[in-house]
Amino acid sequence: MDCMVFHMKTTLNIDDTVMQRLREEAARRGTTMSALVEAGIRRILARPTLSQAQPDNLPQLPTWRSGGLQVDIANREELYRVMEEE
């Protein structure tokens, strides 16, 4: 079976400092900037998205200390009274 590989030439806007680091890293590794960019994109695309992640792998949600309850929100009259005060 013949496998044909197509390459598309495209233009990307990349920050100058990132481009400089990309040039340096490509030279250090003895490869091209294109090869590094493609490898990085492939790595990102291979990573499961948050919606595909298993519930056990989800990050812990942040918590805050609110100072406690000021009013029972089920008590409409008390809720309105507190809202009027502020």
Side-chain angles (χ1 to χ4, degrees), residues 56-69:
D56 295 342
N57 297 337
L58 294 177
Q60 187 72 25
L61 292 175
T63 58
W64 292 271
R65 301 185 128 245
S66 66
L69 300 175

Side-chain angles (χ1 to χ4, degrees), residues 67-78:
L69 300 175
Q70 295 183 0
V71 65
D72 178 8
I73 60 170
N75 183 334
R76 185 177 292 188
E77 289 77 27
E78 183 67 9

Side-chain angles (χ1 to χ4, degrees), residues 5-72:
V5 177
F6 296 96
H7 295 277
M8 181 183 297
K9 193 170 193 169
T10 190
T11 301
L12 299 172
N13 294 319
I14 300 175
D15 180 77
D16 290 340
T17 57
V18 174
M19 280 300 293
Q20 183 58 39
R21 290 186 61 197
L22 178 63
R23 278 187 199 96
E24 292 167 0
E25 187 62 22
R28 188 180 73 75
R29 293 182 184 215
T31 189
T32 65
M33 293 187 302
S34 293
L36 284 182
V37 170
E38 183 176 342
I41 292 170
R42 286 181 185 278
R43 190 173 191 180
I44 289 169
L45 295 176
R47 199 178 309 159
T49 62
L50 187 57
S51 63
Q52 296 170 330
Q54 298 298 322
D56 295 342
N57 297 337
L58 294 177
Q60 187 72 25
L61 292 175
T63 58
W64 292 271
R65 301 185 128 245
S66 66
L69 300 175
Q70 295 183 0
V71 65
D72 178 8

